[in-house]
Amino acid sequence: MTSTRDHRYSDGDGFGNPYEGFDFDPPELRVNTRLVDPTDDYVLADIVDESQVVPDDVDVPALVEIGLAYVAIEEYEQAVDSFGRAIAYADEDSVEAQEAWVNKGVAHSQLGEYDEAIGAAREALRIDDDNDHAAIAEMNLAYALWELGDSSEPLEHAERAVELDPRHPHAWYNRGYFLAERGQYEEARRCLDVAISLGLRDSSVLGERERTLDRLETAEAERPAAEPSEWTAEVDGDDVHERGE
């Protein structure tokens, strides 16, 4: 069935003549035919091969943005590839490289590749362990370690994330979650309340708060009542003194 919907196009002024924005023979793909046989099947592949790329001409932030766009549509394998390219072309130990490592670790976590996620997060922290990127690296490191069965180290990294970025709701949520797993329900509830106050109000956070409150009430109900002090009387001559034991 043919669509009857009107398709809207750009209302621009049209192309010039000749149009310089497009060329069937772009300069970057031109070859010296005296040196290279243009009928060779490998000519184009050799020209666009990454080994022919000039590193200084690569826009690293743009590669990171492409990776984030893939993350937004849940294409995590392509995101990992984009972040990896950004790392390859970024200056070693630069902020751009750290940002790419952080995001690469997050993408690996989404794929369930926790060993790779841990490695990426640790590399980001090696570059700089005291900035905003480090806070996200600490959060992802805590999560990946937990998924691999580490029940002790994740809380340490979650607390470090809170120190680095106390305005990040996910940092507070992670800290609350790990505290609850350790039975520290009152402090866990406080952390979850902070996460909610900072805008993190999805069902998983609200559900975790409800579970923490239930555990807290159960723990308080099972806590044995404090026994009263035993008092005896001591007689010292004509005076009587009460003594608590």
Side-chain angles (χ1 to χ4, degrees):
M1 178 178 178
T2 304
S3 174
T4 59
R5 295 178 55 192
D6 292 332
H7 295 276
R8 301 197 52 182
Y9 295 90
S10 170
D11 295 326
D13 295 329
F15 301 129
N17 188 19
Y19 174 51
E20 297 181 355
F22 180 81
D23 193 343
F24 282 109
D25 187 23
E28 59 269 24
L29 295 184
R30 292 176 185 167
V31 297
N32 187 336
T33 56
R34 292 179 301 174
L35 302 176
V36 178
D37 181 0
T39 63
D40 187 344
D41 293 340
Y42 294 97
V43 170
L44 182 58
D46 289 341
I47 294 172
V48 299
D49 185 82
E50 287 192 18
S51 64
Q52 306 299 320
V53 175
V54 179
D56 291 342
D57 294 340
V58 176
D59 189 341
V60 173
L63 285 173
V64 173
E65 288 298 324
I66 291 171
L68 293 174
Y70 276 126
V71 169
I73 60 174
E74 300 182 0
E75 295 289 347
Y76 300 115
E77 291 181 354
Q78 291 88 337
V80 166
D81 183 64
S82 295
F83 296 134
R85 289 172 183 269
I87 292 166
Y89 290 113
D91 292 337
E92 187 176 4
D93 294 350
S94 64
V95 174
E96 290 81 7
Q98 184 191 24
E99 182 180 10
W101 275 116
V102 169
N103 289 306
K104 188 171 185 286
V106 174
H108 278 304
S109 288
Q110 293 295 330
L111 290 169
E113 299 170 350
Y114 299 117
D115 283 326
E116 292 85 349
I118 291 170
R122 292 194 188 282
E123 185 63 21
L125 292 169
R126 182 195 65 77
I127 294 174
D128 190 340
D129 62 357
D130 193 20
N131 62 7
D132 291 342
H133 295 315
I136 299 174
E138 292 282 11
M139 282 185 275
N140 194 49
L141 180 56
Y143 170 75
L145 287 167
W146 178 264
E147 289 295 329
L148 282 182
D150 189 329
S151 60
S152 58
E153 197 174 348
L155 178 59
E156 173 187 341
H157 292 289
E159 291 180 335
R160 177 60 178 158
V162 169
E163 293 175 8
L164 290 169
D165 190 357
R167 300 295 300 173
H168 201 301
H170 287 282
W172 285 101
Y173 170 75
N174 285 349
R175 184 170 186 266
Y177 179 89
F178 295 129
L179 284 170
E181 291 299 315
R182 289 194 172 192
Q184 300 178 36
Y185 303 121
E186 183 62 40
E187 182 63 16
R189 180 197 59 77
R190 188 185 73 83
C191 291
L192 294 171
D193 285 344
V194 174
I196 293 170
S197 71
L198 291 173
L200 192 60
R201 298 185 177 91
D202 60 33
S203 59
S204 62
V205 179
L206 298 175
E208 184 60 34
R209 185 180 186 280
E210 289 299 320
R211 285 189 292 272
T212 300
L213 286 176
D214 290 342
R215 294 176 181 178
L216 178 59
E217 291 175 0
T218 301
E220 289 179 345
E222 294 176 350
R223 186 178 302 163
E227 297 182 359
S229 298
E230 181 180 355
W231 293 87
T232 60
E234 286 186 346
V235 178
D236 183 11
D238 295 332
D239 298 326
V240 178
H241 306 283
E242 290 184 339
R243 175 173 60 87
E245 294 182 351

